[in-house]
Amino acid sequence: MNKTLKRIISIIIIIGLLFLLVGYKAGWFSAKEKQTQAGRNNSQEALIVSAIVLSPGGLSDVITSNGTILADEQVDLSAEVSGRITSIRFNEGVAVRKGDLLITINDSELLAQMRKNTYALKLAEEREARQRSLLSKEAVSQEVYDRALTELNTVQAEAALIEAQIQKTRIVAPFNGTIGLRQVSDGAYVTPGQRIATLTRTSPVKLEFSVPERFSGSVTKGAKVSFMVESLDGTHEAVVYATEPRIDPVTRAMMVRATYPNSKNEINPGAYARVEFKLNHLADAITVPAQALIPELGGYKVFISRNGKAEVREVLVGIRTSDAVQITSGLNAGDTLITTGILQVRDGMPVNITKITTQKQ
């Protein structure tokens, strides 16, 4: 029984060995290895990406800031004395010239004082002339003449004071400009400091904005700035005419003012402006789209395509704009920069570029 069992086991082992030998000769196991290798190759299939061919071009280092349009000159018209308005001599929203009479306030009492002073002045002048004549003939003393002269000077000073008070009852335009909406009516009683209307000169206008402290030395008188306002399409150019001589300790910024002709009065004071100021311009700069730049510890890297495979490049960056970054080291003109699939690509991975463009500068 034991011998029979041993013989059966031996036969099974021999058959198994023969099966393995035949399978190896037939390539059964090599087929499985090929399938495994094919699976590995499939995991290394080319990644579909887009790319651009880099070319040098112009790049401006631009800072942006929020600005405000200011009137060239603006003043609230108000009375210097209390009184009733006797006449309003302007229409709302119209242009006036410097010196035009705009408002008169009741001055009847002052005019009466002026007439009284006129009579007193005439009498004082006659008295001084008579005493001067007598003094020349030594008919009166010097003291008598001095009293007559003092009386004349006093009356003249009173006349000048009354005239000054009368001038305060008249409001005139201090400069050429446009009258806004009036806040009073004819016959209203006004007090000192009460706003009657606003006079504004809008040609030219001023552009006020701030620049960070580190750029304050780059802004000089005569520099040109670009700005945009919501009420008008396009970009406008203003010229810097003054800067604040100090840095604001709260904002760490310097205030700057520029002027814009505004010859058509199309920009109104108080409008918001988006300001762009060019610090410097580079003629042959290599730039890459911001989305192609990969930050890493201690710097940045990008991927380029070389001979159908991705190649990592460590780069140094310079000027940044809203959508591009200057590369100062690590890339050259003519390099093919991978711009999509950044998260999946790896160094040495096969890539298939389905869309390639030449960088426009």
Side-chain angles (χ1 to χ4, degrees), residues 28 40 78 104-105 114 219 234 253 268 272 294 298:
W28 296 346
R40 291 176 181 174
S78 60
T104 60
I105 298 174
M114 177 62 75
V219 183
N268 296 320
Y272 164 80
I294 305 171

Side-chain angles (χ1 to χ4, degrees), residues 9 55 110 293 305:
I9 293 173
S55 61
L110 293 173
L293 196 65
S305 175

Side-chain angles (χ1 to χ4, degrees), residues 120-173:
L121 179 60
K122 183 178 180 180
L123 180 60
E125 289 174 344
E126 292 176 351
R127 183 176 298 169
E128 187 273 337
R130 186 165 54 251
Q131 295 299 331
R132 185 173 64 253
S133 176
L134 293 175
L135 178 63
S136 64
K137 298 176 182 179
E138 298 183 354
V140 295
S141 65
Q142 182 67 40
E143 181 181 357
V144 172
Y145 171 74
D146 288 344
R147 285 199 298 268
L149 179 60
T150 299
E151 181 182 356
L152 173 61
N153 291 337
T154 301
V155 175
Q156 288 176 337
E158 290 176 351
L161 178 61
I162 295 172
E163 180 62 30
Q165 292 175 334
I166 291 176
Q167 290 301 320
K168 290 181 179 181
T169 64
R170 290 166 169 76
I171 300 176
V172 298

Side-chain angles (χ1 to χ4, degrees), residues 90-96 177-182 197-200 202 265:
F90 68 87
N91 294 321
E92 297 169 296
V94 301
V96 297
T178 303
I179 291 283
L181 305 178
R182 59 184 172 92
T198 300
L199 177 63
T200 306
T202 58
N265 292 314

Side-chain angles (χ1 to χ4, degrees), residues 45-50 305 308-309 340 349-355:
E45 286 184 356
L47 179 67
I48 297 176
V49 297
S50 298
S305 175
K309 292 186 178 182
T340 62
M349 176 182 291
V351 291
N352 179 17
I353 302 176
T354 59
K355 181 180 179 181

Side-chain angles (χ1 to χ4, degrees), residues 70-266:
L70 305 176
D72 182 49
E73 297 291 347
Q74 181 172 300
V75 65
D76 287 338
L77 301 173
S78 60
E80 294 185 73
V81 295
S82 299
R84 180 176 56 84
I85 294 177
T86 56
S87 66
I88 297 177
R89 304 191 179 189
F90 68 87
N91 294 321
E92 297 169 296
V94 301
V96 297
R97 300 190 63 81
K98 181 178 180 179
D100 287 352
L101 181 60
L102 306 176
I103 296 283
T104 60
I105 298 174
N106 184 18
D107 59 355
S108 56
E109 183 177 346
L110 293 173
L111 291 177
Q113 293 179 14
M114 177 62 75
R115 287 193 295 271
K116 178 182 177 180
N117 178 267
T118 300
Y119 299 139
L121 179 60
K122 183 178 180 180
L123 180 60
E125 289 174 344
E126 292 176 351
R127 183 176 298 169
E128 187 273 337
R130 186 165 54 251
Q131 295 299 331
R132 185 173 64 253
S133 176
L134 293 175
L135 178 63
S136 64
K137 298 176 182 179
E138 298 183 354
V140 295
S141 65
Q142 182 67 40
E143 181 181 357
V144 172
Y145 171 74
D146 288 344
R147 285 199 298 268
L149 179 60
T150 299
E151 181 182 356
L152 173 61
N153 291 337
T154 301
V155 175
Q156 288 176 337
E158 290 176 351
L161 178 61
I162 295 172
E163 180 62 30
Q165 292 175 334
I166 291 176
Q167 290 301 320
K168 290 181 179 181
T169 64
R170 290 166 169 76
I171 300 176
V172 298
F175 50 80
N176 298 344
T178 303
I179 291 283
L181 305 178
R182 59 184 172 92
Q183 307 299 315
V184 296
S185 299
D186 198 358
Y189 187 86
V190 294
T191 57
Q194 179 180 345
R195 185 165 74 94
I196 296 173
T198 300
L199 177 63
T200 306
R201 182 161 65 202
T202 58
S203 180
V205 291
K206 300 172 183 177
L207 172 64
E208 184 178 74
F209 62 99
S210 62
V211 296
E213 178 181 359
R214 65 182 181 275
F215 300 127
S216 59
S218 302
V219 183
T220 57
K221 184 177 180 180
K224 296 180 179 180
V225 297
S226 300
F227 70 97
M228 294 177 289
V229 293
E230 294 185 358
S231 60
L232 290 177
D233 295 330
T235 302
H236 310 277
E237 188 174 79
V239 179
V240 173
Y241 74 90
T243 60
E244 190 72 45
R246 70 184 187 94
I247 302 297
D248 191 316
V250 177
T251 62
R252 300 299 177 188
M254 181 181 72
M255 294 301 299
V256 181
R257 283 189 179 178
T259 182
Y260 174 71
N262 199 32
S263 56
K264 297 181 180 179
N265 292 314
E266 68 270 19

